[in-house]
Amino acid sequence: MPFIGAGIPKAAANLPVWSELFDRGIQYLRQFKDQLQLAEEDIDALATLGRSRRLADTFEMLQTMLGGAPQSEHYHTFLTANFDDPDITSMASLEALRNLQCPVFVTTNYDLLLEHYCHGSRRDTVTWLTPPGILSLLRGGSGVIHLHGRYDVPNSVILSSSDYKRVVSATDTRRVARSLFDSAVLLFIGCSLDGVNDPHLGKILEGFAELQGPAGSEPHFMLVKGDPSAKEKTDLRRLGVRPVTYGDSFEDLPEFLDGLTQSRPVRIDVERLRPRLHAVRTATSMTEVLTDVKAFLEGGAFRGREVRIALAKKIEASGGRVILANVEPLPPRATHNEFSYPLTLAAWALLEGRILRVPNDLERLCDFDRLRQLGKYDRVMAALREVDPSEDPVAADYLDLQDVRARAEKETLRIRDIYQNWVGRHDFPHYRQFVSVPVPLLDQVANRPEPPEHFVINVDTKEMEPLLSARTRAHLAMAADLIEVGWRAFNVEATN
């Protein structure tokens, strides 16, 4: 059972850890000091105290200056401003957690990243305010246990000394400790070594130490960076926790977590696949193939979700130019505007023959070595050099074409540089996430002639649940293969 600490939301969305949250609290007081009727010198005094006293004590004063917690409107606003709808900068750790496929997560974090990104539609959540709810979830539910509360339930947030006095009740803490201890082996992820000394968590871990009896059995584990000191190991062992090193930097954590799940194969329901194969074999047109692939994706990969699926294809435009354009959208009229889909992103996915995602891959470098292996490098560079902004004003309006060419020559071009972000100019974007799946999807690129480029499956959604996971990737790869089979059946030249 993963126990998630502040390191995960910090890495994924730069959400504040405790010390940073206190600093943001000071900034909030300065911004609204007139409304709060505060003197500048009092705010300065609190900021100074924050550097010399326990944060739990200084948070107590911060809550008072915000008008009192949890009833103060300013306190609600402060929590919402820091934890509501965060800007995701890296999905690596969240995807790795999602791929663990654990029914229950435990956390001391206030945010809802686990609900939105690691549990899909299963968003049952419970806080320390309802110990019976925690027990019920542990007995066979699916969701997230917030031991320190949720930002959107201010009365549940554990931040100050007074808050800790509310939550550290001998009876309730013992009940929670017993429930957690009996339910599973806890794996602490993104937790600092100091974090286990947290008053609330420390009480629970002390309960673990009592429950496990004589020293020697260490049922719980903490993933740590580098090699912890002898004292740190001793302190953890005293609490019944064994440290396990995942690597030398936090960037090594997702790969370590992925290694825990590599032995779990992703299975596609044969009963759903068999009619797909029959439909491709008996189809009389490419449209029938595409329609059936749509049913396969909607009923398999994205069942119960609100997604848009459209297909892009290489076509010959005016002047003999070959471009990528939306054809046969799935469903019909999926968008009222061609630019709802970033076809530049889709085009690069087709060139590299692998899946690209927004926002996950925006900072990734375009893989020119892969283009060389595929025999496409010269063609791609020639096309980039020939781009004339006057002939393509739409692209020039969204992209710095001269900068694209310069970066391509230096091979420092990023996906962000070619992302035609039309929706970014709108107050209400059409999607939060976008995935482009090329047809064909290439697993092996070495020692083969230049592969064909047929279609791109484009999927987007306004949902926060990731479009691409180990399960949906398997379905999307199968969809790409089905379209490729259909293409070969209806295009004789593609088989030569």
Side-chain angles (χ1 to χ4, degrees):
M1 183 186 302
F3 193 116
I4 309 303
I8 295 298
K10 177 66 176 175
N14 198 31
L15 290 180
V17 296
W18 251 33
S19 58
E20 293 171 336
L21 185 61
F22 179 77
D23 292 339
R24 294 189 185 186
I26 295 297
Q27 295 172 11
Y28 187 96
L29 295 180
R30 296 191 196 283
Q31 181 179 356
F32 296 99
K33 64 179 181 180
D34 292 339
Q35 294 182 27
L36 293 166
Q37 299 181 351
L38 298 174
E40 188 69 35
E41 54 266 27
D42 292 335
I43 301 175
D44 291 339
L46 178 60
T48 302
L49 279 174
R51 293 188 289 270
S52 61
R53 298 179 60 176
R54 288 191 337 116
L55 276 176
D57 295 334
T58 49
F59 269 120
E60 182 99 27
M61 303 175 195
L62 176 65
Q63 289 176 331
T64 300
M65 295 176 77
L66 284 170
Q71 67 275 8
S72 164
E73 181 179 345
H74 276 282
Y75 184 58
H76 293 196
T77 303
F78 169 66
L79 292 173
T80 299
N82 281 283
F83 297 103
D84 184 62
D85 196 18
D87 182 16
I88 303 299
T89 56
S90 173
M91 282 292 298
S93 56
L94 295 174
E95 287 185 347
L97 290 176
R98 178 184 175 85
N99 290 340
L100 290 176
Q101 299 179 28
C102 296
V104 175
F105 287 85
V106 184
T107 185
T108 51
N109 301 329
Y110 311 127
D111 60 80
L112 302 181
L113 292 181
L114 295 174
E115 283 89 340
H116 289 150
Y117 291 100
C118 300
H119 258 290
S121 58
R122 302 171 297 168
R123 296 180 184 174
D124 293 340
T125 183
V126 64
T127 73
W128 65 273
L129 289 174
T130 54
I134 293 178
L135 181 59
S136 176
L137 200 58
L138 292 174
R139 281 175 170 168
S142 175
V144 182
I145 297 171
H146 286 268
L147 293 181
H148 283 182
R150 297 169 35 148
Y151 80 90
D152 58 343
V153 185
N155 189 45
S156 71
V157 172
I158 303 304
L159 195 58
S160 65
S161 299
S162 294
D163 293 331
Y164 277 105
K165 290 176 182 177
R166 286 194 298 140
V167 74
V168 183
S169 156
T171 302
D172 286 347
T173 298
R174 193 176 301 116
R175 290 176 64 193
V176 171
R178 175 91 251 183
S179 301
L180 290 173
F181 184 86
D182 289 340
S183 297
V185 174
L186 288 178
L187 179 64
F188 294 89
I189 305 172
C191 300
S192 68
L193 293 169
D194 291 337
V196 296
N197 295 320
D198 172 285
H200 183 201
L201 182 55
K203 282 279 189 183
I204 290 176
L205 290 175
E206 287 173 6
F208 285 177
E210 294 174 5
L211 290 168
Q212 68 182 338
S217 61
E218 299 170 342
H220 305 288
F221 299 88
M222 174 180 285
L223 300 185
V224 299
K225 180 177 65 175
D227 186 20
S229 68
K231 183 181 184 306
E232 290 169 333
K233 292 179 181 178
T234 301
D235 290 344
L236 287 174
R237 189 174 293 114
R238 178 179 58 82
L239 296 171
V241 178
R242 179 184 300 169
V244 176
T245 299
Y246 60 79
D248 295 326
S249 68
F250 193 83
E251 287 69 28
D252 297 327
L253 178 60
E255 183 177 355
F256 182 93
L257 293 174
D258 286 337
L260 301 178
T261 61
Q262 286 178 357
S263 61
R264 299 183 184 180
V266 176
R267 294 181 174 85
I268 296 178
D269 187 348
V270 173
E271 294 307 314
R272 291 184 176 275
L273 180 57
R274 188 175 289 120
R276 305 288 80 80
L277 295 173
H278 176 75
V280 170
R281 189 172 65 250
T282 60
T284 59
S285 68
M286 196 63 200
T287 298
E288 288 185 28
V289 174
L290 299 178
T291 300
D292 200 71
V293 167
K294 168 198 177 241
F296 172 61
L297 289 177
E298 291 183 338
F302 305 112
R303 183 171 19 175
R305 298 186 56 180
E306 294 185 6
V307 300
R308 298 188 307 170
I309 304 173
L311 200 72
K313 178 184 178 182
K314 288 174 64 174
I315 64 172
E316 185 172 322
S318 59
R321 296 172 61 228
V322 176
I323 65 171
L324 197 65
N326 284 325
V327 294
E328 305 192 53
L330 308 172
R333 297 180 299 281
T335 173
H336 67 281
N337 194 305
E338 189 83 0
F339 303 118
S340 292
Y341 296 100
L343 293 180
T344 45
L345 181 83
W348 201 268
L350 191 59
L351 287 171
E352 290 195 9
R354 60 183 173 192
I355 299 173
L356 289 181
R357 301 167 293 172
V358 166
N360 308 65
D361 293 329
L362 287 178
E363 301 306 323
R364 186 175 75 74
L365 287 173
C366 296
D367 195 339
F368 288 93
D369 283 338
R370 185 178 176 91
L371 296 184
R372 290 187 181 92
Q373 290 177 300
L374 293 170
K376 298 181 179 183
Y377 176 81
D378 291 339
R379 173 168 62 87
V380 170
M381 293 304 297
L384 286 172
R385 295 184 186 111
E386 292 172 2
V387 171
D388 185 346
S390 63
E391 293 182 0
D392 200 342
V394 174
D397 189 27
Y398 293 92
L399 306 176
D400 186 338
L401 297 179
Q402 291 184 345
D403 183 62
V404 167
R405 282 196 293 265
R407 288 179 177 272
E409 295 287 354
K410 297 177 182 178
E411 299 190 11
T412 59
L413 190 67
R414 301 169 303 167
I415 298 301
R416 180 181 296 280
D417 300 323
I418 58 173
Y419 174 39
Q420 193 173 353
N421 189 14
W422 181 79
V423 299
R425 297 184 181 178
H426 294 258
D427 294 333
F428 303 99
H430 295 167
Y431 58 84
R432 285 176 177 266
Q433 307 169 63
F434 195 96
V435 172
S436 290
V437 183
V439 179
L441 183 61
L442 305 176
D443 294 324
Q444 303 296 326
V445 297
N447 301 319
R448 61 175 295 169
E450 180 176 347
E453 298 168 349
H454 300 321
F455 297 90
V456 182
I457 305 168
N458 291 317
V459 186
D460 67 34
T461 183
K462 291 183 179 180
E463 296 178 348
M464 298 180 73
E465 179 183 351
L467 283 173
L468 200 63
S469 65
R471 186 183 66 83
T472 61
R473 183 185 291 272
H475 284 80
L476 288 167
M478 181 61 69
D481 289 343
L482 290 171
I483 293 176
E484 173 71 3
V485 170
W487 173 264
R488 290 181 178 276
F490 294 105
N491 294 269
V492 176
E493 67 278 8
T495 65
N496 298 329

